[in-house]
């Protein structure tokens, strides 16, 4: 592979790479604001200027202060080039830390901060702001301008999810290019000139497509902020865990940002993965974090006869489920979930075999509007994984209803809480003497069940999702489950013990060792 030298370090590059892209791929950051690996080159921030050594160096005539003469005299300096525009060339020497480059970076920083408000204490970007990072690294001098700064629009609502602060904006145009090039919607543009520049909405429009939160994500400063995350947490208190999005069958790579002090998730962010989701996530995927805490089931629930369900300890719910299942016949219906991990689904299939049940069904959401960016039409993260671990054709919940009404099924154990069908459509299930639901959240299935056993959500456990391409992607626990609540496979192991059988697995390693092979290699959720 061809390479060039960057500050004495060999940097390999691919055909068509620019200097900054090759350096970024090698893990070397050249300071920048407007450049983004998923967007076109704008070269307007001038922060990524570098010095390129050539046989015929380009020298700019300048005047420089001569200390001996105590006067400005004619001089020259190398012409710096934007590394986001300059193609990488075999054998060239590039300097991103020379004296001339450092001076240019400091000047760009000072220019960008001339009218910037000093509102870091209330800015949601504080702690992950490029202006803060680069000020410390490349300027670190006091502000010389003492006149009144130019004032612009503050806290302007761009739509249901995004707020714009014009005074913080450095006019990098990432948001404009993202909407134009990725979404294909020219909803944002620049207006005015010079220090009057602002980002503005197209007349009569609001920022309301399926990827609006990405505008906040691509903004390198605090100009575009999320209404949902605004003023909720400080990023230096948050920890991150690599994970996989549960929004649809695309299997986007993401970060779960959580506060370990209160075991709370505050946001989800896309994680760079050029092979799967590139650099993007849709709004619905990023807002899935709310299900981690809203409508949670943390206690067992048991209903006797037609009476109301009462809350019990998880162990008591498992014992009650075991009592009901001990008399289960071959008419037991076993419902897998396209929302649950392959490990949890496989554990339920294993239990079904222990009980001699062969009637397998699948519960799933009914789909949403897909697109050519990231959203897959199937809004279930693991339909492929559930089908693979089943080993047989899975019937739908409509088939289950038909089997219940015909008498072919007289008891049910179901994984997950979500279904495309409503409670009214699934009403015949409520009449069953045995309907056991293993669920993490409120939903139609636990609502109808007479025994509800709580299980951990995706963010509270380790697991695997198989996306629509057949790629198995593992994710890791971010936060802790409520006390006494365990993953689906651990809960099913406990149910096996309560039934007087040996636990099927005993460890995550054992579950994964027994999982059926998938089409593509297993990929762990890592950067």
């Amino acid at each position: 592979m061809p390479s060039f030298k960057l500050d004495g370090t060999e940097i390999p590059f691919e055909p068509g790479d620019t200097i900054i892209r090759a350096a970024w791929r090698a893990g070397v950051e050249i300071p920048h604001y407007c450049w983004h690996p998923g967007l076109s080159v704008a070269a307007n921030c001038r922060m990524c200027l570098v010095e390129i050594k050539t046989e015929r160096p380009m020298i700019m005539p300048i005047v420089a202060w001569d200390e001996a003469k105590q006067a400005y005299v004619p001089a020259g300096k190398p012409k710096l080039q934007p590394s986001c525009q300059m193609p990488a060339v075999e054998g060239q020497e590039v300097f991103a830390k020379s004296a001339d480059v450092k001076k240019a970076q400091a000047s760009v920083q000072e220019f960008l901060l001339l009218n910037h408000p000093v509102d870091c204490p209330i800015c949601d970007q504080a702690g992950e702001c490029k202006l803060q990072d680069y000020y410390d690294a490349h300027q670190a001098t006091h502000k010389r301008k003492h006149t009144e700064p130019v004032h612009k629009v503050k806290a302007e609502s761009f739509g249901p999810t995004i707020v714009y602060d014009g005074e913080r904006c450095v006019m990098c145009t990432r948001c404009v290019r993202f909407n134009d090039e990725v979404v294909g919607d020219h909803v944002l543009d620049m207006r005015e000139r010079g220090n009057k520049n602002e980002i503005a909405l197209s007349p009569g429009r609001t920022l309301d497509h399926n990827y609006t939160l990405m505008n906040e994500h691509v903004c390198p400063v605090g100009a575009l902020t999320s209404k949902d995350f605004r003023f909720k947490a400080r990023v230096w208190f948050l920890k991150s865990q690599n994970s996989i999005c549960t929004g649809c069958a695309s299997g986007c790579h993401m970060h779960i940002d959580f506060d370990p002090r209160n075991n709370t998730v505050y946001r989800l962010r896309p994680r760079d993965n050029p092979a799967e989701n590139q650099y993007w996530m849709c709004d619905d995927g990023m807002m899935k974090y709310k299900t981690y805490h809203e409508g949670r089931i943390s206690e067992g629930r048991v209903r006797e006869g037609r009476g109301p369900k009462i809350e019990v300890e998880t162990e008591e719910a498992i014992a009650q489920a075991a009592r009901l299942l001990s008399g289960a016949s071959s008419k037991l219906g076993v419902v897998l979930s396209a929302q649950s991990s392959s490990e949890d689904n496989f554990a339920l299939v294993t239990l079904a075999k222990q009980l001699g049940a062969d009637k397998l069904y699948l519960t799933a959401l009914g789909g949403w509007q897909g697109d050519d960016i990231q959203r897959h039409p199937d809004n279930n993260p693991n339909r492929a994984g559930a089908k693979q671990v089943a080993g047989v054709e899975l019937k739908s919940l409509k088939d289950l209803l038909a089997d219940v009404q015909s008498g072919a099924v007289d008891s049910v154990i179901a994984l997950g809480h979500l279904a495309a069908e409503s409670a009214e459509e699934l009403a015949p299930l409520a009449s069953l003497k045995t309907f056991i639901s293993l669920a993490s959240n409120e939903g139609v299935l636990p609502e109808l069940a007479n025994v509800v056993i709580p299980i951990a959500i995706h963010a509270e456990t380790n697991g695997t999702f198989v996306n629509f391409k057949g790629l198995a992607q593992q994710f890791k626990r971010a936060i802790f489950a409520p006390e006494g609540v365990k993953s689906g496979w651990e809960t099913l192991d406990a149910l096996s013990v309560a039934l007087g059988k040996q636990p099927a697995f005993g460890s995550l390693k054992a579950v994964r060792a027994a999982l059926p092979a998938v089409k593509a290699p297993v990929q762990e959720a890592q950067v």
Side-chain angles (χ1 to χ4, degrees), residues 71-83:
Y72 286 99
V73 298
K77 71 171 185 179
K79 176 159 177 61
L80 306 181
Q81 304 291 331
S83 59

Side-chain angles (χ1 to χ4, degrees), residues 192-415:
E192 303 297 341
R193 297 177 67 84
N195 61 8
K196 300 291 186 180
N197 263 164
E198 290 179 3
I199 298 296
L201 286 164
S202 296
R205 291 292 311 279
T206 58
L207 190 60
D208 57 0
H209 51 65
N210 288 327
Y211 294 87
T212 59
L213 290 173
M214 281 305 309
N215 287 274
E216 184 265 346
H217 184 68
V218 300
C219 181
V221 295
L224 295 171
T225 52
S226 160
K227 289 182 179 180
D228 178 73
F229 183 70
R230 193 173 170 88
F231 306 136
K232 281 189 177 179
R234 282 304 188 194
V235 297
W236 49 82
F237 291 129
L238 302 183
K239 303 295 183 183
S240 291
Q241 178 61 276
N242 297 338
S243 193
I244 304 297
C245 179
T246 62
C248 72
S250 290
C252 293
H253 286 221
M254 69 177 188
H255 297 286
I256 297 177
D257 291 342
F258 63 98
D259 192 331
R261 299 174 302 169
N262 56 16
N263 201 46
T264 300
V265 175
Y266 283 95
R267 65 179 180 180
L268 305 178
R269 294 178 293 125
R271 188 159 46 88
D272 295 353
N273 188 311
E276 296 304 315
N277 55 299
Q278 298 183 41
Y279 317 97
W280 325 121
M281 272 179 70
C282 71
D283 289 358
D284 289 300
M286 294 172 79
M287 293 302 292
K288 277 286 183 179
Y289 83 91
K290 291 198 170 184
T291 63
Y292 299 167
H293 304 293
E294 295 177 359
R296 287 302 306 278
I297 297 174
S298 57
E299 298 285 345
R301 298 174 186 176
V302 173
R303 179 173 59 208
E304 296 288 351
R306 299 291 180 179
K309 285 196 283 285
I310 59 172
E311 288 193 349
V312 297
E313 296 291 332
T314 300
E315 292 77 8
E316 174 56 30
I318 292 174
Q320 176 67 359
R323 286 193 287 270
L324 293 172
L325 288 175
S326 61
S329 65
S330 59
K331 292 184 177 182
L332 173 65
V334 178
V335 182
L336 307 187
S337 172
Q339 292 280 324
S340 299
S341 69
S342 293
E343 289 83 352
D344 290 357
N345 278 296
F346 185 59
L348 184 54
V349 171
T350 304
L351 178 65
K353 291 178 180 178
Q354 289 179 334
L355 296 172
D358 59 1
K359 296 179 176 62
L360 300 183
Y361 306 86
L362 181 68
T363 178
L365 291 177
W368 63 4
Q369 181 184 2
D371 58 35
D372 295 330
I373 307 171
Q374 286 307 131
R375 291 165 64 97
H376 193 273
D378 179 10
N379 57 340
N380 297 280
N382 201 34
R383 186 189 296 269
K387 288 181 176 180
Q388 284 173 338
V389 301
V392 297
E393 185 70 24
L394 292 173
K395 297 181 180 180
S396 68
L397 285 194
K398 288 185 172 59
D399 296 323
L400 174 62
L401 291 174
D403 289 345
V404 168
Q405 291 168 333
S406 70
V409 170
D410 61 8
S411 53
V412 169
I413 179 170
L415 180 63

